[in-house]
Amino acid sequence: MFELSQIFYAGAFGLIVLGMAGIVLSSHLIRIIFAIAILEAGVNLLLLMSSFRETARAPIMVDGVFPPIMADPITQALVLTAIVIGVGILALALSLALRLQGVYGTMDMSKIRRAMERDIAHAADISLPTSDHAPLSVSTPGAIPQIEQGGAKS
């Protein structure tokens, strides 16, 4: 029904989509790092599939004859290099995440971002930037702020 290459291509694209969704939808730092690892695995599989031929053999001369259809060793070498680099980056990211956990006490990216902005502003002796378009804080639950020309009031 399905060829083997179609299944591998579907798996590669599935891993890529799953990794991208994990990066975009998650706010927990460890989940984002693992989503990057899943995305990387999908890209590596897609690169390997770009040179896949079902009947291909390793490009090794046997009895003075090369096989008629050979697998591309360059793609395999690139993917192997990408795997090694990916493991190093994953280890670095996890160690930085643990360091952030120790400093800020959370793995939530929005809380870490706010705390880092506050620390940077404090170290630079400047105030945090504000916006005239920031959402209004409503003191009464369910109350709708009245908007007039020249500003908003609640």
Side-chain angles (χ1 to χ4, degrees), residues 104 111 113-123 126 128:
Y104 295 112
K111 292 178 183 177
R113 185 178 301 118
R114 282 193 301 268
M116 288 177 79
E117 287 173 353
R118 188 177 57 245
D119 289 349
I120 292 170
H122 179 71
I126 59 174
L128 286 173

Side-chain angles (χ1 to χ4, degrees), residues 84-134:
V84 171
I85 292 170
V87 168
I89 290 174
L90 183 65
L92 176 67
L94 287 172
S95 66
L96 289 175
L98 290 175
R99 176 79 174 144
L100 284 172
Q101 166 71 30
V103 171
Y104 295 112
T106 184
M107 288 283 187
D108 190 325
M109 282 301 296
S110 59
K111 292 178 183 177
I112 291 173
R113 185 178 301 118
R114 282 193 301 268
M116 288 177 79
E117 287 173 353
R118 188 177 57 245
D119 289 349
I120 292 170
H122 179 71
D125 198 28
I126 59 174
S127 62
L128 286 173
T130 59
S131 172
D132 292 336
H133 302 289

Side-chain angles (χ1 to χ4, degrees), residues 40 78-91:
E40 177 194 352
L78 288 173
V79 169
L80 183 61
T81 305
I83 290 170
V84 171
I85 292 170
V87 168
I89 290 174
L90 183 65

Side-chain angles (χ1 to χ4, degrees), residues 10-24:
F13 284 119
L15 287 172
I16 290 171
V17 169
L18 187 66
M20 288 172 41
I23 292 169
V24 171

Side-chain angles (χ1 to χ4, degrees), residues 1-151:
M1 180 180 205
F2 291 109
E3 290 183 25
L4 187 61
S5 63
Q6 291 175 332
I7 295 171
F8 284 143
Y9 274 117
F13 284 119
L15 287 172
I16 290 171
V17 169
L18 187 66
M20 288 172 41
I23 292 169
V24 171
L25 298 175
S26 183
S27 65
H28 193 272
L29 194 54
I30 298 295
R31 289 183 187 144
I32 292 172
I33 292 170
F34 284 140
I36 291 171
I38 291 171
L39 176 67
E40 177 194 352
V43 170
N44 287 339
L45 181 58
L46 187 64
L47 283 174
L48 279 177
M49 287 304 300
S50 69
S51 67
F52 176 76
R53 290 179 182 76
E54 198 154 338
T55 59
R57 301 286 179 247
I60 299 172
M61 185 184 295
V62 178
D63 297 328
V65 179
F66 283 108
I69 299 175
M70 295 183 280
D72 187 10
I74 301 296
T75 309
Q76 296 172 6
L78 288 173
V79 169
L80 183 61
T81 305
I83 290 170
V84 171
I85 292 170
V87 168
I89 290 174
L90 183 65
L92 176 67
L94 287 172
S95 66
L96 289 175
L98 290 175
R99 176 79 174 144
L100 284 172
Q101 166 71 30
V103 171
Y104 295 112
T106 184
M107 288 283 187
D108 190 325
M109 282 301 296
S110 59
K111 292 178 183 177
I112 291 173
R113 185 178 301 118
R114 282 193 301 268
M116 288 177 79
E117 287 173 353
R118 188 177 57 245
D119 289 349
I120 292 170
H122 179 71
D125 198 28
I126 59 174
S127 62
L128 286 173
T130 59
S131 172
D132 292 336
H133 302 289
L136 300 173
S137 61
V138 179
S139 58
T140 309
I144 300 173
Q146 300 291 330
I147 299 177
E148 297 177 0
Q149 283 186 337

